[in-house]
């Protein structure tokens, strides 16, 4: 009885595949660092991204415009805009701009707003109302802003018919202005004393030295 002949090419292919598979680590990963990416300082949410065109002498130049909100879910929120030829660069610019414009909200103990707020920006009008125990009742960009800032028990409504997300977000930020303050205090606001020819910033809680 004849024995079936084996294909040497198939054997070599099987050996190569087994050798490649042996280099892999358990879990389907091929090595690399075991440490994950560092957690960002602020949570981000892109609310609008669009391609814009600028007409120049040589033709048209295309770039991307990004609008996003950033917050720490502990009462800090900021709106930022960025424009660049690449999407990643535009997002980085928007993040830096959002950190620059970030404000700290004066919320209640339950992380809600103390009273009703409303504002109008361009053709957008919004209203924010506290609702104890009902949770977050809002949609569109209002919901994104409230979630990123960490607020709770709030009802939000877009009063106007505007569908522009950027204008709606700016209207929400304008409505929050009465209960907001700058996120980072400027060092220049603190008193400065010159000691031995060097300027030293005096902390606010430092007691005066009696002469």
């Amino acid at each position: 009885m004849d024995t079936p002949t084996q294909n040497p090419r198939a054997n070599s292919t099987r050996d190569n595949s087994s050798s490649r598979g042996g280099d892999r680590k358990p879990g389907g990963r091929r090595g690399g660092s075991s440490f994950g990416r560092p957690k960002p300082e602020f949570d981000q949410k892109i609310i609008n991204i669009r391609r814009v065109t600028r007409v120049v002498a040589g033709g048209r130049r295309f770039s991307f415009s990004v609008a996003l909100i950033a917050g720490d879910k502990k009462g800090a929120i900021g709106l930022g805009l960025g424009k660049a030829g690449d999407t990643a660069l535009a997002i980085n610019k928007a993040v830096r701009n959002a950190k620059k414009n970030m404000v700290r909200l004066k919320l209640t103990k339950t992380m809600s707003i103390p009273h009703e707020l409303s504002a109008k920006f361009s053709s957008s009008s919004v209203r924010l109302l506290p609702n104890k125990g009902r949770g977050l009742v809002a949609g569109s960009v209002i919901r994104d802003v409230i979630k990123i800032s960490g607020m709770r028990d709030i009802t939000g409504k877009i009063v106007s018919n505007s569908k522009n997300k950027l204008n709606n977000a700016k209207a929400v930020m304008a409505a929050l202005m009465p209960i907001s303050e700058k996120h980072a205090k400027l060092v220049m606001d603190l008193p400065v004393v010159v000691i031995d020819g060097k300027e030293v910033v005096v902390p606010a809680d430092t007691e005066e030295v009696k002469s």
Side-chain angles (χ1 to χ4, degrees):
M1 186 175 182
D2 297 337
T3 58
T5 58
Q6 295 181 355
N7 189 356
R9 182 177 299 178
N11 294 336
S12 61
T13 305
R14 192 180 303 110
D15 294 341
N16 293 336
S17 61
S18 61
S19 62
R20 287 197 301 267
D23 296 339
R24 296 185 180 182
K25 291 188 177 182
R29 298 181 180 179
R30 292 190 174 184
S33 176
S34 59
F35 299 98
R37 293 182 178 180
K39 188 176 180 180
E41 182 181 2
F42 299 103
D43 295 329
Q44 305 164 13
K45 174 71 174 180
I46 297 177
I47 59 177
N48 188 23
I49 180 169
R50 57 197 177 94
R51 192 180 74 167
V52 295
T53 307
R54 183 163 60 100
V55 180
V56 294
R60 296 180 180 180
R61 290 187 179 180
F62 297 97
S63 58
F64 294 91
S65 177
V66 176
L68 59 79
I69 49 178
D72 59 355
K73 294 187 177 181
K74 297 179 181 178
I77 186 68
L79 174 65
L81 304 175
K83 186 169 68 172
D86 185 47
T87 309
L89 293 178
I91 293 175
N92 290 336
K93 286 184 178 181
V95 170
R96 289 197 299 267
N97 189 242
K99 291 180 180 180
K100 180 180 178 181
N101 300 330
M102 190 161 293
V103 294
R104 174 70 62 178
L105 303 177
K106 301 175 184 177
L107 304 176
T108 61
K109 293 181 180 180
T110 59
M111 296 296 290
S112 181
I113 56 178
H115 51 79
E116 179 182 347
L117 299 170
S118 62
K120 184 178 186 299
F121 181 86
S122 186
S123 60
S124 301
S125 299
V126 298
R127 288 179 61 192
L128 302 176
L129 298 91
N131 55 11
K132 187 175 181 181
R134 291 189 59 190
L136 176 57
V137 183
S140 186
V141 71
I142 300 182
R143 187 178 187 89
D144 296 333
V145 173
I146 293 176
K147 288 184 67 175
I148 292 293
S149 63
M151 293 185 287
R152 302 172 184 172
D153 297 337
I154 293 178
T155 297
K157 183 174 179 61
I158 300 176
V159 183
S160 62
N161 295 325
S162 176
K163 304 298 182 183
N164 191 318
K165 292 186 176 181
L166 179 57
N167 285 347
N168 290 336
K170 288 184 177 181
V172 175
M173 296 301 296
L176 296 174
M177 275 300 165
I179 61 169
S180 63
E181 61 183 1
K182 261 297 185 182
H183 176 64
K185 294 183 179 179
L186 297 177
V187 179
M188 297 302 295
D189 294 339
L190 299 176
V192 178
V193 179
V194 179
I195 301 177
D196 295 336
K198 297 181 180 180
E199 294 184 353
V200 179
V201 178
V202 180
D205 57 348
T206 304
E207 298 181 356
E208 295 181 358
V209 180
K210 295 182 179 180
S211 57

